[in-house]
Amino acid sequence: ETGVTQSPTHLIKTRGQQVTLRCSSQSGHNTVSWYQQALGQGPQFIFQYYREEENGRGNFPPRFSGLQFPNYSSELNVNALELDDSALYLCASSRTSASYEQYFGPGTRLTVT
Amino acid sequence: AQSVTQLGSHVSVSEGALVLLRCNYSSSVPPYLFWYVQYPNQGLQLLLKYTTGATLVKGINGFEAEFKKSETSFHLTKPSAHMSDAAEYFCAVTPTGTASKLTFGTGTRLQVTL
């Protein structure tokens, strides 16, 4: 059983640019959640996708957007990057949106300069 | 709304000593509670969870936690620390029925010394 994978591992962008982060969910899982973990902080919920639809959103501006594909993989897009967007972005998959157990990927480290 | 407070951003214990990591939560509805561990440059791994039933829950690697509603606490313990336990530990809460939308605490870094 393949776990949650994320790409790329590291990324450096310039303020104002756009970035796309990718996540492949664990086999059999139809729900993907994205979290932002700033340095020294706990992860913060960005949004969740269930069966290709957004299923809840945290306190993040609209320039954070996402997609989920028919194979349940997902993308996180961030437009107009700001310095404060520098963080570890974690993707987690779960069997359904009501599942208590989430399986996290290793994350993508985004640095905005 | 829900929130989590983890007392102590850094905890240091000797190998073989008791590990106690504190977590208090606030939730307007009955919560589900979780502890996750994060090793350097890795994602989060679920240690244990409380949903319903027995308030003392056992997890992986010898960790356990007790849900105390009256104290709104969910402290993590391990009787004997091992060097491999050194990591960052996060407590998380979610309201019943929204299991995948976790609210995390700020984390506690556990250091284990010889």
Side-chain angles (χ1 to χ4, degrees), chain A residues 15-30:
Chain A
R15 190 172 49 184
Q17 286 188 317
Q18 178 266 341
V19 69
T20 297
L21 310 181
R22 295 178 174 83
C23 170
S24 291
S25 60
Q26 188 161 316
S27 177
H29 290 189
N30 61 22

Side-chain angles (χ1 to χ4, degrees), chain B residues 4 27 43 97:
Chain B
V4 173
S27 180

Side-chain angles (χ1 to χ4, degrees), chain A residues 21-87:
Chain A
L21 310 181
R22 295 178 174 83
C23 170
S24 291
S25 60
Q26 188 161 316
S27 177
H29 290 189
N30 61 22
T31 300
V32 172
S33 301
W34 286 92
Y35 293 83
Q36 180 196 65
Q37 185 179 15
L39 199 61
Q41 300 295 317
Q44 285 198 299
F45 174 72
I46 303 175
F47 45 55
Q48 180 186 91
Y49 277 84
Y50 170 60
R51 292 185 174 181
E52 303 179 57
E53 297 287 332
E54 187 178 289
N55 182 41
R57 187 179 185 92
N59 189 27
F60 281 81
R63 60 189 184 84
F64 285 77
S65 63
L67 281 174
Q68 188 178 33
F69 300 99
N71 66 354
Y72 303 126
S73 65
S74 178
E75 286 183 355
L76 164 65
N77 299 290
V78 187
N79 294 321
L81 283 167
E82 301 177 0
L83 297 179
D84 285 349
D85 295 333
S86 295

